[in-house]
Structures are given as C-alpha cells and as structure tokens.
Amino acid sequence: MGWNSWNTFRCYDLTEQVVVQTAEAMVASSMKDAGYEYVVVDDCWQEGTRGEDGRLRAHRGRFPSGMAALGEQIHDLGLKFGLYASPGRRTCAMIYDRYPGIGLGSFSHEQLDADSMADWGVDYLKYDWCRANRGGTKLDEPAAFAHMAQAIQNTGRPMVYSISEYGRSKPWEWAPQVANLWRTTPDIGPSWRSVMRIADKQHGLAQFAGPGHWNDPDMLEVGNAGLSPTESRSHLMLWAMLAAPLMAGNDVRSMSAQTRDLLTDSQILSIAMDPAGRQGERTGRRGKLDFWRRELSDGFAVGVLNRARSARGLTTEDRDRLGDLTGAVDITSGEIGRFDLTLASHEMRIWRVRS
Ligand code: GAL
C-alpha cells in the first residue's frame, strides 16, 4: 500500500514540495496508520542528461534538494521511498507525452542506476517498459526485467520491485519469479469505463498471485474527478477483492473527508490486506450484476456490483448464487444477514463471512 504521483501530478506538476507535502498529509490523515506506506515518485523526477559520473540525477528545477534528501525526509516520517525507471533509452514521459528533455531510461546503465537508488535509500522501484525497444534497442522483455532484478539484488538493499509492461506478454506467467508485482493492463484513467475495463481484464489471473507476488491492475483513481463517490467506493472494493496493491493516486493534501474515510475504511482494507493473500474473482453475472468471491484467512467475502446506469434489486436467486451466507456481515452497513437490497447504479456491496 502507498501513494504514487502519476495519476494526479503527471510530469511538470511533480515537485519535491508536492512529494513531501503528500507524505506529511499521509501521516496527518491517518493513511499511514491505515497501512499506506510507500511514497512512489513516478516518471519525470529526472534531469534529461546524466551527470559527469554517468549517474541519473534529479531534475534541478523541481527536485533541487536531490533524491537522497527526499528519501531522508520520507523516511523521517516513518514512510518508505519509491522511484520510477525504465529499461529502454527513454522513459514514457519522453516517448509518449513529449515532455522534452525529461526521462532517461536505464538501458546499459542498469547496475549504476540500481546503485544510485540504493544510495538514495530507495525501498521500491517501479520499472516501466515504455516501448523500450524504440530506437533500435533490442531487448527481450522478461530478460530486461530480470536484469534489473539482479542489479537490485547486487546492491544488497531490499526493494519492492514493481514491473510494468501493461500485460503485453502475459507477465503473470513469468514475473512471479522476478518481481513482487506486475501490471496486468494498460494505464487506468479517472473514469468508470476505465475501472470496469481493467477489472474485467483480471478475470482468470487469480491463480498467479500470492504473498510477495501480485497482479497489479494499476494505481487507484479513488477520489479523483471523473469518478463519483459511489464509483470510487466500488473501485476500492473491487481492488480489495482482487488482492491488488493499493497505491492511492489522488491529491492527498487536499482530499475530502469522504475520500480520506474511504481510503482508510478498515472493513475494505482488512479484506484487501488479508494475510492469506488469495486473489478473488468474478464468479458469475446476471444482466448488469457481477458476482464476486474472495477466500480469506478466516472465511470468505462475496460481493455484488451493479454495473447498470440505474438501480437494481437483488433477488433470492442472487442471494443463493452467493453461497451459504449465514452470519454474513454487509461491510458497508454493518448489518448481519440482510440481502433484500437495492444497489444504486455502479454500487458494490460486500458481505464477509467468518468461519
Ligand atoms: C506509463 C505507466 C504509467 C506511468 C507513465 C509515466 O507507461 O503505465 O503508470 O508510470 O508511464 O510516464
């Protein structure tokens, strides 16, 4: 669990001030207490050229204090520090978003860059493909990600290793040996359509995840404009059922009390962070209703999501389809054993059954 800068701050809005203020707000808002731990600085933190020593360096205008100082400030708050890099010659910022001069890749500098990260106190590396083969580079995907895994290991500093190649080459089949988490889809966006598209693409992947190696359906859009409060809640619930890494992607400094309460909702988070680490999945559909189930260390959770543009009532057949729900607690209302519900448009409900 943590926070990542990309969904809100993109490129030119990313500054050391934003990162430090966010880390402080994570502490003040109780997000840290709820388990959000990693503060990940995504693309655009770099200068467009390496230093004379060949090392990556922080963008002088937006990160004047440098990465070691930033890492220290994050650590002083009791949080962990994450950074972004790419295996090709350029990061995505330079390739796709046309931010001139920003975004050097680690190609042929893998060990030096891993060493820099370790020197700066980095605890989490997001390594993002970004058309790494552009410009005549001939990289084999799994090998390129394994190369950096080895470079990290050589530093002797433990780091969470998060890889991102958008699910192109079925990373769930090879990445569990290499990385702690791997993206399964292209980028999420702040819309219900995007959340649904990504949730649907997780179908069939549950068997590949487990403690220490996770499918990553991408960072959260919870609290961002483009999702209603109901949609944000369903989005977080779905990611909880998916045992997904939870990386907040909102402006934590200015979030509403409602967003803070949602991100720190202990009922949802205790499902998300269940120690057994078994990913749940969609088990069925009726019309616009999706049915979900996740096995938990002390029982199981079932959920119903209403994808329709209007409200839908649950029928007795719907309840039967969810299995034996004796003693089931609706984690939204706290009510026990009640299913005669109507779900608002895009609303999700989860029931937890303890064995
Ligand atoms: C994309 C990646 C995003 C973000 C962006 C930065 O490739 O999927 O999560 O890191 O690059 O440019």
Side-chain angles (χ1 to χ4, degrees):
M1 290 171 74
W3 172 86
N4 176 299
S5 58
W6 183 252
N7 283 356
T8 293
F9 296 97
R10 291 298 205 252
C11 209
Y12 292 141
D13 292 337
L14 177 63
T15 63
E16 66 181 36
Q17 200 187 16
V18 160
V19 177
V20 171
Q21 287 175 351
T22 299
E24 287 167 351
M26 284 167 73
V27 176
S29 63
S30 302
M31 276 178 74
K32 176 183 171 229
D33 291 342
Y36 295 86
E37 190 180 14
Y38 291 89
V39 178
V40 181
V41 180
D42 207 278
D43 204 355
C44 296
W45 61 268
Q46 308 145 316
E47 269 297 330
T49 54
R50 290 177 179 268
E52 279 173 12
D53 52 4
R55 289 186 183 243
L56 292 174
R57 46 190 179 165
H59 190 268
R60 279 167 291 191
R62 290 179 291 104
F63 288 88
S65 312
M67 285 300 149
L70 183 61
E72 213 172 295
Q73 277 178 284
I74 292 170
H75 289 150
D76 285 349
L77 289 163
L79 295 164
K80 291 188 168 157
F81 179 32
L83 266 188
Y84 169 103
S86 298
R89 294 173 196 272
R90 301 270 181 269
T91 71
C92 282
M94 232 183 214
I95 296 173
Y96 291 117
D97 288 311
R98 294 182 286 278
Y99 295 104
I102 299 168
L104 283 177
S106 293
F107 179 71
S108 83
H109 296 86
E110 290 83 359
Q111 191 60 56
L112 188 61
D113 291 354
D115 291 345
S116 296
M117 307 266 176
D119 292 347
W120 297 333
V122 167
D123 308 294
Y124 180 117
L125 174 63
K126 173 172 172 181
Y127 206 47
D128 183 33
W129 181 250
C130 281
R131 293 173 73 195
N133 278 334
R134 214 177 112 114
T137 317
K138 284 276 171 282
L139 286 173
D140 170 68
E141 243 177 70
F145 286 111
H147 189 165
M148 187 50 103
Q150 185 60 51
I152 294 171
Q153 212 182 324
N154 294 343
T155 69
R157 183 174 176 88
M159 291 183 209
V160 170
Y161 186 39
S162 153
I163 67 168
S164 161
E165 50 76 91
Y166 331 114
R168 290 164 22 124
S169 64
K170 298 192 179 165
W172 42 88
E173 288 179 353
W174 51 265
Q177 279 83 52
V178 173
N180 300 110
L181 55 154
W182 53 89
R183 284 270 299 279
T184 54
T185 64
D187 290 14
I188 197 168
S191 72
W192 181 247
R193 214 184 129 102
S194 172
V195 170
M196 286 298 91
R197 196 183 304 140
I198 288 185
D200 285 342
K201 286 198 169 160
Q202 309 313 311
H203 200 61
L205 302 185
Q207 58 180 300
F208 300 104
H213 51 277
W214 309 100
N215 288 304
D216 176 11
D218 207 0
M219 302 164 300
L220 297 169
E221 293 284 5
V222 167
N224 287 340
L227 289 182
S228 71
T230 300
E231 290 168 344
S232 274
R233 188 173 175 83
S234 299
H235 169 26
L236 188 66
M237 284 180 157
L238 284 167
W239 266 230
M241 293 300 266
L242 287 166
L246 298 182
M247 302 301 283
N250 59 320
D251 189 344
V252 171
R253 304 168 308 167
S254 61
M255 67 185 162
S256 65
Q258 195 177 24
T259 297
R260 181 203 57 212
D261 291 351
L262 173 56
L263 284 170
T264 59
D265 185 302
S266 59
Q267 298 295 320
I268 302 178
L269 295 184
S270 91
I271 291 173
M273 295 299 133
D274 183 73
R278 293 176 66 184
Q279 180 172 333
E281 61 191 352
R282 198 183 66 222
T283 51
R285 287 188 146 154
R286 178 178 70 81
K288 294 277 184 186
L289 294 180
D290 283 359
F291 301 90
W292 285 75
R293 183 179 174 105
R294 178 172 174 187
E295 304 305 321
L296 301 171
S297 49
D298 62 352
F300 63 94
V302 290
V304 184
L305 170 69
N306 174 17
R307 302 169 75 126
R309 285 168 194 251
S310 54
R312 290 282 189 277
L314 298 186
T315 62
T316 353
E317 289 78 51
D318 294 332
R319 185 197 53 204
D320 293 346
R321 183 194 276 275
L322 293 172
D324 180 3
L325 298 184
T326 314
V329 181
D330 177 333
I331 68 161
T332 299
S333 68
E335 288 180 287
I336 300 174
R338 226 199 110 191
F339 305 96
D340 54 336
L341 285 182
T342 297
L343 299 191
S345 168
H346 300 173
E347 185 183 7
M348 185 163 187
R349 285 291 180 112
I350 291 178
W351 292 265
R352 183 170 184 152
V353 181
R354 293 182 200 263
S355 49

